[in-house]
Amino acid sequence: MAVARKRQVSLIDTPYYHCISRCVRRAFLCGEDKATGQSFEHRRAWVEDKLLFLGSVFAIDVCAYAVMSNHSHLVLYVDEDKGQSWSTFEVINRWHQLFKGTLLTQQYVRGDELIEPLKTIVEQTAEVYRQRLTDISWFMRLLNEGIARKANVEDNCTGRFWEGRFKSQALLDDAAIIACMAYVDLNPVRAKIAATPEKSAYTSIRRRIKAAIKGTQPYNLLHFVGNAHKDKTKGLIFNLNDYIELIEVTGRCIRADKCGYIEDVQPDILTRLNISAENWLILTTQFTKSFHGAVGHADVLNDFCQHQALSRRTTLSACNKLLA
């Protein structure tokens, strides 16, 4: 039975979520339709551009993404603190990048003089906008609706473009986050549409590698901050070079068309998280098959289920097996 969206997202447990959207029609989202020979490759840019734009407007950062032929994978970070730090003026300005707003909010950002009762209405409206700008459902709605409308116009048809609402998984701890990010970043390599991570078009790993060559990190992706999390610095708690090395080694195993293995000297990330090479390969090739709900070690998974009033811990067995 499907779980209600409000019971899949629990920000008191984790700000990290894996989101998946799939097309309902045989026609491809991107790539080439082998049945007709028609190419939809240009639609990848639609998804990537809209995704990164929304990441700049919402209090939601993009950790990883991969745009595939008929579905997309995202790993998102909800930054509630950033949303709460915005002034009323900034919240309304950000919302106006997405919608026109109301007559009163338009007057407010223009600097028109408003009487106190009208200012109160503007502030109340801004609080509604603030909540929406930290809401994954609003983020995914704006991403998918825009793509669906453009695709339907191009295909000269109407009706559903996506098979339903997006699916989401809570990533409850470091092991779940890094395993899911690697799974997402290696999607094109696993599907054999890219030979290497750096050649995987419209993925976060390609963007990260291109920036790393220049000694930087992409401004529109959540940064790796190493061990800075000890000081509660925002960002992914791993070292960027370690992550890229892990993706490279794992990608080589996946491309071998056999079980493969990770070198005896494992990248520091796996050693630190105590994940075996065998389990790592399963995580990065079968993440969505192995887990059909929140992902994390038993203690954080139990907390999540308790907070969400979930009687069944559907992923507990897989988590104990693969993340222990």
Side-chain angles (χ1 to χ4, degrees):
M1 182 180 294
V3 179
R5 182 77 58 218
K6 66 181 180 180
R7 299 181 72 183
Q8 296 178 33
V9 176
S10 174
L11 296 181
I12 64 173
D13 291 297
T14 180
Y16 293 93
Y17 292 86
H18 174 212
C19 301
I20 310 167
S21 297
R22 295 185 182 278
C23 292
V24 70
R25 298 199 302 264
R26 181 181 57 81
F28 281 11
L29 169 62
C30 304
E32 182 176 319
D33 186 341
K34 294 181 180 179
T36 64
Q38 186 175 0
S39 175
F40 299 95
E41 184 70 16
H42 58 283
R43 292 181 180 174
R44 291 192 179 204
W46 294 357
V47 179
E48 184 178 53
D49 292 347
K50 188 66 176 289
L51 169 65
L52 297 178
F53 166 70
L54 291 175
S56 71
V57 176
F58 277 70
I60 296 177
D61 293 295
V62 180
C63 303
Y65 67 88
V67 183
M68 304 298 287
S69 61
N70 61 359
H71 66 283
S72 63
H73 286 275
L74 315 175
V75 176
L76 303 175
Y77 170 83
V78 182
D79 192 346
E80 278 194 301
D81 290 340
K82 180 166 71 172
Q84 290 301 320
S85 71
W86 292 334
S87 66
T88 298
F89 184 84
E90 184 171 3
V91 168
I92 293 175
N93 257 334
R94 286 175 177 270
W95 189 255
H96 284 181
Q97 295 182 59
L98 306 170
F99 298 99
K100 292 181 180 179
T102 67
L103 178 61
L104 285 178
T105 61
Q106 291 171 7
Q107 291 176 331
Y108 177 82
V109 296
R110 284 200 306 263
D112 294 353
E113 188 68 29
L114 298 176
I115 60 175
E116 285 303 319
L118 296 184
K119 287 182 180 179
T120 300
I121 293 174
V122 168
E123 290 171 358
Q124 292 171 344
T125 302
E127 289 309 305
V128 173
Y129 294 164
R130 190 191 306 277
Q131 186 277 328
R132 292 176 180 175
L133 289 171
T134 56
D135 189 323
I136 285 180
S137 289
W138 270 91
F139 185 100
M140 294 300 295
R141 169 190 171 183
L142 293 182
L143 174 63
N144 287 344
E145 274 192 5
I147 301 303
R149 291 179 187 278
K150 291 181 69 173
N152 279 350
V153 170
E154 186 175 70
D155 295 341
N156 192 28
C157 68
T158 59
R160 287 180 176 269
F161 183 76
W162 304 101
E163 67 177 8
R165 292 194 67 193
F166 69 96
K167 298 178 181 178
S168 66
Q169 290 178 293
L171 306 175
L172 301 175
D173 56 24
D174 296 342
I177 293 165
I178 206 69
C180 188
M181 286 182 60
Y183 171 81
V184 170
D185 277 329
L186 286 168
N187 249 250
V189 174
R190 190 172 60 253
K192 300 182 182 179
I193 61 175
T196 60
E198 64 269 23
K199 293 182 179 179
S200 301
Y202 304 103
T203 61
S204 52
I205 189 61
R206 184 184 186 186
R207 188 172 289 269
R208 289 192 189 279
I209 291 174
K210 288 176 67 176
I213 292 172
K214 301 176 183 177
T216 63
Q217 294 196 50
Y219 71 91
N220 43 20
L221 296 177
L222 186 63
H223 283 192
F224 284 81
V225 296
N227 292 322
H229 69 293
K230 294 177 181 178
D231 300 320
K232 298 185 178 180
T233 300
K234 169 189 167 182
L236 296 161
I237 66 170
F238 307 98
N239 180 277
L240 174 60
N241 290 336
D242 285 349
Y243 179 73
I244 291 176
E245 177 190 359
L246 180 64
I247 294 298
E248 174 67 18
V249 172
T250 308
R252 290 181 184 276
C253 297
I254 292 173
R255 287 290 301 176
D257 296 325
K258 53 186 178 182
C259 293
Y261 66 93
I262 292 180
E263 299 167 357
D264 292 337
V265 181
Q266 295 184 8
D268 289 344
I269 292 177
L270 289 190
T271 303
R272 209 159 59 242
L273 295 177
N274 196 30
I275 299 177
S276 70
E278 180 182 0
N279 284 351
W280 178 254
L281 290 177
I282 295 174
L283 287 168
T284 51
T285 56
Q286 302 175 36
F287 193 91
T288 54
K289 291 182 180 179
S290 300
F291 306 110
H292 300 284
V295 184
H297 288 88
D299 52 349
V300 290
L301 185 59
N302 287 336
D303 289 342
F304 176 84
C305 291
Q306 183 177 356
H307 293 152
Q308 297 300 90
L310 297 173
S311 58
R312 296 183 59 197
R313 298 170 295 173
T314 56
T315 61
L316 180 60
S317 177
C319 290
N320 284 338
K321 178 181 178 181
L322 297 174
L323 299 178

